[in-house]
Amino acid sequence: MAVDAARVREMALALPEASEAPHVDRRAFRTPRKIFATLGPSGLDLNLMFDPDLRDFYCEQVPEAFAPVPGGWGRMGATRCDLTVVDAATLASALQAAHRLAAPKAKSKPKRRTASESEA
């Protein structure tokens, strides 16, 4: 049932363009754009950078494993995951959701003008 720190690293780094770096006293997993999760020094908890809707979803669905991070970060969506009780499938889903929020935004292609627009 529990997921250890080595498995968390493996799962996080398997996501597209993910990398790992130190972040204060934690290990951060990030996309080129921003951090999507941080692993606690004990390896027993993971903070996921959700938006408020995802925070609420995971906290309601699996309250024994997910809780808002205390304070302002939690109000913005940051969510603590207790790795001693979460299962691998639920954690994979949560990591993917946080990763999607942190992924680089797709560049929009310039809109092509039609002949009628250029004549105007």
Side-chain angles (χ1 to χ4, degrees), residues 21 25 28 36 38 68 80 86 88 92 96 98 110:
D25 65 336
F36 62 91
T38 61
R80 180 184 179 277
V86 73
Q96 290 166 3

Side-chain angles (χ1 to χ4, degrees), residues 14-83:
L15 296 167
E17 299 186 85
S19 62
E20 181 180 1
H23 180 73
V24 190
D25 65 336
R26 302 174 75 85
R27 298 298 299 174
F29 300 98
R30 60 175 302 125
T31 67
R33 184 170 160 253
K34 68 187 230 179
I35 292 172
F36 62 91
T38 61
L39 180 62
S42 67
L44 300 177
D45 69 285
L46 182 75
N47 288 345
L48 296 147
M49 304 311 151
F50 288 154
D51 60 21
D53 290 335
L54 278 171
R55 175 206 58 214
D56 293 348
F57 173 78
Y58 281 94
C59 291
E60 288 170 10
Q61 295 299 310
V62 194
E64 63 278 7
F66 295 95
V69 169
W73 282 103
R75 284 191 296 278
M76 292 187 298
T79 305
R80 180 184 179 277
C81 176
D82 183 344
L83 297 174

